[in-house]
Each structure stands twice: as C-alpha cells, then as structure tokens.
Amino acid sequence: MDEVQRSRKPLIFYYGIFMLILMLFNFIVLPWILQRQIREVDYGTFMSMTENSQIGQVQVQHNQIIFTNKENTVLYKTGIMNDPGLVDRLYSSGAEFTSEIIEQMSPFLSILLSWVLPIIIIIGVGQYMAKKFMNKAGGGNALTFGKSNAKIYVQSLEGIKFSDVAGADEAKESLTEIVDYLHNPEKYKEIGASMPKGVLLVGPPGTGKTMLAKAVAGESNVPFFSIAGSEFVEMFVGMGASKVRDLFKQAKEKAPCIVFIDEIDAIGKKRDGNFGGNDEREQTLNQLLTEMDGFEENTGVVILAATNRPESLDPALTRPGRFDRRVPVDLPDLKGREEILKVHAKKTKLAEDVDFNKIARMASGASGAELANIINEAALRAVRDNRYLVTQADLEESIEVVIAGYQKKNAILSDEEKWAVAYHEIGHALVAAKQSNSAPVQKITIIPRTSGALGYTMQVDEGDRYLMSKEEIENRIATFTGGRAAEEVALGSMTTGASNDIEQATKLARAMITRFGMSEEFGMVAMETVNNQYLGGDTSLACSAETQAKIDKAVVAIINKQHEKARKILMDNRGKLDELAKHLYEKETITGTEFMEIVNA
Ligand code: ADP
C-alpha cells in the first residue's frame, strides 16, 4: 500500500526558511558574484589612471581600493599603499568618491539576486511540496495547526486481504458484512438497514487486529485512514479535538472509507469525576463522541478501533450508535496457530521434515505476532548456520528462543548447581508423567537461557484445552511443586530455583478458590475479579479481610497437599529419579521420547 503522510509544518517554519535564504543571498552569494566581476590591477596602473584622469568613481576601503573607469563600465580593485597624497590627487583628477560603488555598478543585478531570486525559489519549493503532499492526502492547507496526522493507505494491488489473516474466522465473518456494505451501500439503504458506525476490535496484543482492519480496507478497495489513539493527545489543550474534527472532515470527503483508530483506550478511557484529570484527553473524547453522532448513517465512513482494554472504555463510546459492534479477536487456537505459521512460512524455504502441527502444539498460547516471530527466528538461525532450508529443529529452537530467550553461551554453573537444576527439572517431568492426566513431556534441558531460566521442562498438549477439571488443576500444581520436591528428596536441600514455580502454583490454587468455586468452604462465590482480561489478567480481591485470611490458609493447604503428593511420587520412584537426573546431567538436553523410555524401562 502506498503510505502518504500529511505535512504539518506551521507557518513560522516557512517564514524561517525564507529569512534564511534571503540572508544567504545577501551576505554570501551576492558579494561573491560581484567580487568575481572585479578586475584586479597593480597599484602602478591605478596611479597612472589617476594621473591621466581616467577614474570615474572610487571607494577607499581599509584593505583595498575599488574604482571604475571614466565611463563607469569596468570595475577595478587594487591593494592599499602608504600614499599620503592619494586623496588630493584623486580629487584633482575629477574622481567621484562614493561608498556604494558595487551596488551602483549593477543595481539591477543586486536587486535580482537579493530579493527576486529567493522569492522565486521559495514559491517554487512551496508549490512542489504542496503538490506532492496535499493532492494525495485529499487537499487542504499545510499552513495550519491541529491537523490530524492520520496516515492514509491508498488502496493498491498489494493491499492486505482476508486471506493474509490466518485463523480468526469468526472475526473475519463479522467483518465481511462491513466489506459488503462498503461495496454496495445502496442495497442496505434500500431495505432501511444501517451499518454500524463503529466496530471495536478487542483482544490481546499481536492477535492481528490492525491486520484485520487493513484487510477490511483491502477487500473493500477503499481508502484507509490509520491513526493511533495516543497521537490525538498533544501538549496543547484543544489540539486533540481539532485533530479529531479534521480526521472526520477528511474521511467524509473520501467516503466510502475506513478510519482505523489503534489503541483507542488512550483517548477513550472512562471519564471520572477526579479533579486534575486529563483535560486534553476528555476534550478529545468528547469531540470523538460528537463527531460519531454527527455524521449520518450510511455516509460510507466506517470506524474501526482496536483495544486490548475494552473494560476501561467510556460507556458513552460503546453505546449503540457509536461503537455498537464488538468483534473479539482472541489468541489463535491450534488450527489457527497452524494456519498462521503456514501463512508466514510462505516466503520461507522449508525442509521436508517441518511439521507445523507439532510446532503449533508446542507454541500453545502464542499470539499471531509471536508465531510470525518464531518463523523469522528459525530462518535467521538457518542463515547463521549457512543452510538454505529451515528445518524442524530450527523452528523448535526458535520457540524456545521466543519463550525463554537465547542460550547463554558462557554461563558456567558449578557442579553442585548443575545437579540441583537437573534434579529440579526431572522432578517436574517425573511428577507430570506419573500423574496420568498431565501432558507428556516434550523436552527437558538444563542449558541456561538469557531469560534467567537455568533449565526448563517443556510440555506439549495434544490439542486445545478449553476446560480444566479440578483434578487436572491439582495435578498441575503438583507438577509445579515437583521441582522443589525432587531437590528435597534427592539432595535434602532447597534452592531459589523454584520461585517461579511457587508463583504459578499459588496463582492456580488461589484461582481455584476465588474464581473457579472449587473449594467446599467458599463454594461458588467470586472473591476476585479479573481486571485486564487481555493484558496478563491481574486480579483484585473483593472480600473482607477475614475472608482473605481464610483464603490464604486454604491456598496454603492446597499447595501443601500437592507438594506432599509430588514428594510421595518421587520417593516411590527414587531409582528412576536418580537415573533420569544423571542422564540429564550428562546430556544437558533430553527429548520426551528418551525420557519416557527410561521411565518405562
Ligand atoms: P494487533 O493490532 O492485534 O496488536 P497486529 O495486527 O499489529 O496485532 O499484528 C502484528 C503482526 O502479527 C502482524 O503484522 C502479523 O505479521 C502477525 N499476525 C497477527 N495475527 C495474525 C494472523 N491472524 N494471521 C497472520 N499474521 C498475523
């Protein structure tokens, strides 16, 4: 797509440039040109011309003498000599003393160079810039403040289409209607149906919201205005509002078209009664609300907006008549992940052994942007190794790079630490494997990563999971505690390596009680609410202090019970634990198959 951005230089900028050019001409170019016209002669010639009364005008400067012939047609210069009677001799020869000899010599040239030429240049450059930037951007005047700096993507053949957006079938389906409307608004007008003015795309970062909006424009073959919510908010109060006005004015001129506002929560946050709030943001929001009400239905302008914090939006913005349609764009499921990988791998040269299904299963929970990144990392790895094809191993390694960072080449663990990490990781894997409901282990490694992980156990689910039973959650908690349990069982000590496991196990156990209603004591009462569904899912407690204390106790009880279970599993399989840990210690990375062979041997 051709991207065109509007110029927004204020008037003062152009005045500045004009003055600069003017000064340049008057102080440098003009004197230089005139200097070049002057003929240099020796002092003797000057003296004899004075004797013979051949001098017309003369100007004695501190380091040179400039003079003309009697007819004032030729300009001469010569150096200064210690010549006391010079002035008298010049006077008696009839020379005319002057201080502006050069300007008088060529008044026309000097006016031309110092005034006319700079003006012509400025007008020429101005015209060129105006033509270049304005025409495509829909006309308008560059010399004004408060212009929206929306980028316009003028439709071209390489525009993004729905087929470029893999997965997200439901979202595409809802948006197809918009495309149809933009193609054929009459059909809708006739029957009296009106298109939603605004569509809100909500979902976690990197799931393809921007891409979908571009694809709508690409499919409908209409101009696409794109602006980020934060671009409206400026230092000066009132600028945001004027940008909104300008954006809608442009959009209406270009209708049918699509306006895309990314990260709309930057301006669309709930207005609250707090003093010292952000005036600028509120004014901008108010203007947006007014503009959205202001344009009639079926004008052909459709506003798409994206956010990953829909709960923070002002209710006035999401009411029918403004953003009345909400399209969720969720993290891709297994099939979606596989498709996204395939779309991004189109340009990549792949080896025969690449199995996208397996990669998609390994990358559970990854967003479209992360999957695109995985493919790219794999390609980079192949280049680093001087290979022409991307292999399955490249892809698997790049998942680890995206999840855990690069391998730390020179992190040296002491022998003791290495044993501790080996036992820790085998502890997780063995507890997972011995509980029938846990997912099988894909890979265990004790090579430190740049993320700080000293080792990890990678589990791969067979398919997508939408529900988890209470037992499965408990087993998962037991698996989290398995690392520490192995250290205790085998080494009789504890290390700091379990901190992340502890955090995750605690989160799960707490959620069991406060959100999933899985404890007998509290039953189906919500004690916690999720704040940012799409951004990490922080929670806030909504219960009394006494209940909180009780919940804490219950969480401890759940985790202790699972920890005990994990310890028991490991003690019952002490032989295997030692054998596996030794194997891992020696090889540093073992696959799931190797692991299971030893377990089942
Ligand atoms: P968002 O706006 O939701 O944060 P983007 O639309 O900017 O995400 O997506 C970022 C990048 O991720 C895209 O440029 C694309 O390469 C990749 N991507 C995300 N989702 C998909 C998808 N469904 N199909 C193909 N590529 C995707």
Side-chain angles (χ1 to χ4, degrees):
M1 292 197 167
D2 314 326
E3 183 184 306
V4 178
Q5 185 153 25
R6 306 197 61 167
S7 152
R8 287 190 312 130
K9 301 276 190 289
L11 203 52
I12 190 103
F13 175 80
Y14 293 94
Y15 280 131
I17 294 241
F18 178 68
M19 290 311 289
L20 199 74
I21 293 183
L22 208 63
M23 275 155 63
L24 210 70
F25 266 94
N26 275 302
F27 292 117
I28 298 172
V29 181
L30 185 62
W32 183 76
I33 291 179
L34 291 174
Q35 284 289 334
R36 285 183 59 102
Q37 294 185 331
I38 301 177
R39 217 177 273 173
E40 188 153 6
V41 292
D42 59 37
Y43 200 76
T45 316
F46 170 62
M47 279 190 2
S48 61
M49 281 174 79
T50 314
E51 299 286 289
N52 304 333
S53 303
Q54 284 169 345
I55 300 220
Q57 294 187 344
V58 64
Q59 179 182 2
V60 181
Q61 296 177 347
H62 71 279
N63 58 348
Q64 62 181 3
I65 301 167
I66 298 179
F67 57 97
T68 64
N69 58 358
K70 202 81 203 164
E71 296 79 35
N72 280 343
T73 50
V74 185
L75 202 56
Y76 300 93
K77 75 172 175 193
T78 185
I80 284 272
M81 289 281 168
N82 189 7
D83 188 353
L86 177 67
V87 177
D88 290 339
R89 269 185 285 129
L90 279 171
Y91 183 69
S92 47
S93 79
E96 185 186 334
F97 293 91
T98 173
S99 61
E100 289 172 339
I101 193 163
I102 294 178
E103 286 77 1
Q104 283 176 14
M105 267 298 291
S106 50
F108 175 71
L109 189 69
S110 84
I111 286 177
L112 187 78
L113 284 177
S114 57
W115 287 99
V116 182
L117 208 60
I119 291 175
I120 290 175
I121 288 179
I122 275 283
I123 291 175
V125 170
Q127 288 279 337
Y128 172 75
M129 303 237 287
K131 236 188 222 147
K132 191 158 184 283
F133 292 118
M134 298 301 133
N135 281 356
K136 289 191 199 161
N141 184 357
L143 310 179
T144 17
F145 277 111
K147 284 279 165 196
S148 91
N149 41 356
K151 287 180 199 136
I152 303 185
Y153 292 88
V154 181
Q155 193 44 48
S156 74
L157 287 177
E158 320 92 279
I160 294 180
K161 292 274 161 59
F162 276 149
S163 56
D164 297 314
V165 188
D169 292 329
E170 301 76 20
K172 278 195 249 177
E173 207 174 291
S174 330
L175 294 171
T176 312
E177 200 181 1
I178 309 268
V179 174
D180 186 52
Y181 165 74
L182 288 169
H183 272 305
N184 201 349
E186 294 307 318
K187 189 168 89 185
Y188 289 78
K189 256 183 231 166
E190 240 164 55
I191 204 167
S194 53
M195 236 327 100
K197 285 178 182 172
V199 178
L200 198 59
L201 300 163
V202 299
T207 44
K209 298 183 291 295
T210 314
M211 247 187 134
L212 274 168
K214 282 185 188 167
V216 172
E219 292 280 342
S220 5
N221 232 338
V222 295
F224 178 74
F225 292 79
S226 159
I227 188 163
S230 56
E231 282 175 58
F232 286 115
V233 183
E234 293 245 358
M235 195 165 65
F236 306 108
V237 173
M239 290 289 263
S242 100
K243 281 184 175 183
V244 172
R245 266 194 302 276
D246 180 62
L247 176 66
F248 277 80
K249 191 166 143 260
Q250 283 187 53
K252 276 182 243 173
E253 282 165 12
K254 285 265 172 182
C257 69
I258 288 172
V259 175
F260 176 60
I261 307 176
D262 205 358
E263 310 294 354
I264 194 168
D265 42 285
I267 44 168
K269 254 192 238 127
K270 279 192 191 102
R271 290 162 293 183
D272 43 25
N274 289 351
F275 285 104
N278 189 336
D279 264 359
E280 166 63 351
R281 210 193 64 224
E282 287 195 4
Q283 278 196 21
T284 311
L285 175 59
N286 284 337
Q287 188 64 42
L288 182 65
L289 297 176
T290 324
E291 288 290 342
M292 286 194 77
D293 271 344
F295 71 81
E296 288 129 47
E297 273 150 12
N298 293 331
T299 43
V301 180
V302 174
I303 299 159
L304 298 179
T307 177
N308 23 44
R309 299 166 61 193
E311 69 287 335
S312 73
L313 292 182
D314 197 283
L317 200 59
T318 47
R319 77 143 164 79
R322 286 178 187 140
F323 286 101
D324 35 14
R325 191 172 286 187
R326 182 183 280 217
V327 176
V329 189
D330 269 318
L331 286 176
D333 55 10
L334 178 60
K335 188 168 145 278
R337 289 199 297 275
E338 203 177 329
E339 282 170 20
I340 294 174
L341 285 169
K342 283 183 185 156
V343 164
H344 284 279
K346 260 188 205 153
K347 291 178 295 184
T348 323
K349 294 211 174 81
L350 298 170
E352 296 261 302
D353 68 339
V354 170
D355 175 1
F356 282 122
N357 183 274
K358 188 169 171 208
I359 303 293
R361 277 192 285 125
M362 287 173 77
S364 93
S367 67
E370 278 165 332
L371 292 168
N373 194 11
I374 285 173
I375 297 276
N376 192 44
E377 282 288 345
L380 290 176
R381 187 168 180 263
V383 174
R384 238 176 276 143
D385 291 357
N386 282 326
R387 276 181 283 110
Y388 299 104
L389 296 176
V390 174
T391 62
Q392 178 78 4
D394 288 330
L395 287 162
E396 286 179 16
E397 169 64 23
S398 75
I399 292 183
E400 287 172 52
V401 168
V402 172
I403 296 173
Y406 287 97
Q407 291 186 353
K408 260 193 199 162
K409 286 278 187 282
N410 44 10
I412 299 166
L413 293 186
S414 72
D415 206 45
E416 221 169 288
E417 283 171 331
K418 211 171 145 191
W419 273 114
V421 179
Y423 268 108
H424 184 104
E425 296 307 327
I426 292 295
H428 285 307
L430 199 57
V431 172
K434 287 286 165 190
Q435 303 172 110
S436 51
N437 293 338
S438 287
V441 177
Q442 162 73 25
K443 182 176 176 177
I444 309 168
T445 161
I446 53 169
I447 300 172
R449 295 273 169 172
T450 46
S451 66
L454 296 177
Y456 61 88
T457 304
M458 192 183 220
Q459 300 194 2
V460 179
D461 291 310
E462 276 308 309
D464 274 317
R465 300 299 307 270
Y466 299 101
L467 283 178
M468 272 176 96
S469 67
K470 187 180 171 193
E471 289 68 39
E472 282 168 328
I473 300 185
E474 284 173 347
N475 285 349
R476 193 164 273 199
I477 295 175
T479 305
F480 280 131
T481 59
R484 165 61 61 82
E487 293 170 23
E488 289 167 335
V489 169
L491 308 172
S493 67
M494 300 179 188
T495 67
T496 51
S499 64
N500 184 35
D501 305 335
I502 293 173
E503 206 179 308
Q504 300 226 40
T506 311
K507 237 189 216 166
L508 263 182
R510 185 173 286 276
M512 276 175 80
I513 299 169
T514 57
R515 284 165 46 213
F516 306 144
M518 287 179 180
S519 79
E520 271 155 36
E521 189 182 353
F522 298 99
M524 289 179 56
V525 178
M527 309 284 186
E528 252 180 9
T529 44
V530 177
N531 300 336
N532 281 328
Q533 189 190 349
Y534 297 116
L535 297 175
D538 320 338
T539 51
S540 44
L541 273 176
C543 57
S544 71
E546 288 116 75
T547 317
Q548 264 184 44
K550 282 187 199 160
I551 291 174
D552 290 339
K553 272 200 195 120
V555 170
V556 174
I558 291 178
I559 292 184
N560 282 348
K561 190 173 158 205
Q562 297 310 318
H563 188 176
E564 203 40 59
K565 183 168 112 191
R567 244 194 311 242
K568 185 164 181 309
I569 293 176
L570 295 175
M571 281 193 288
D572 291 348
N573 295 281
R574 183 62 207 267
K576 296 277 179 217
L577 176 64
D578 290 338
E579 194 185 341
L580 285 161
K582 186 161 175 282
H583 191 62
L584 180 61
Y585 175 85
E586 281 160 6
K587 289 196 66 182
E588 295 198 335
T589 300
I590 61 174
T591 64
T593 338
E594 272 176 83
F595 174 82
M596 285 321 277
E597 271 166 17
I598 297 179
V599 170
N600 295 328

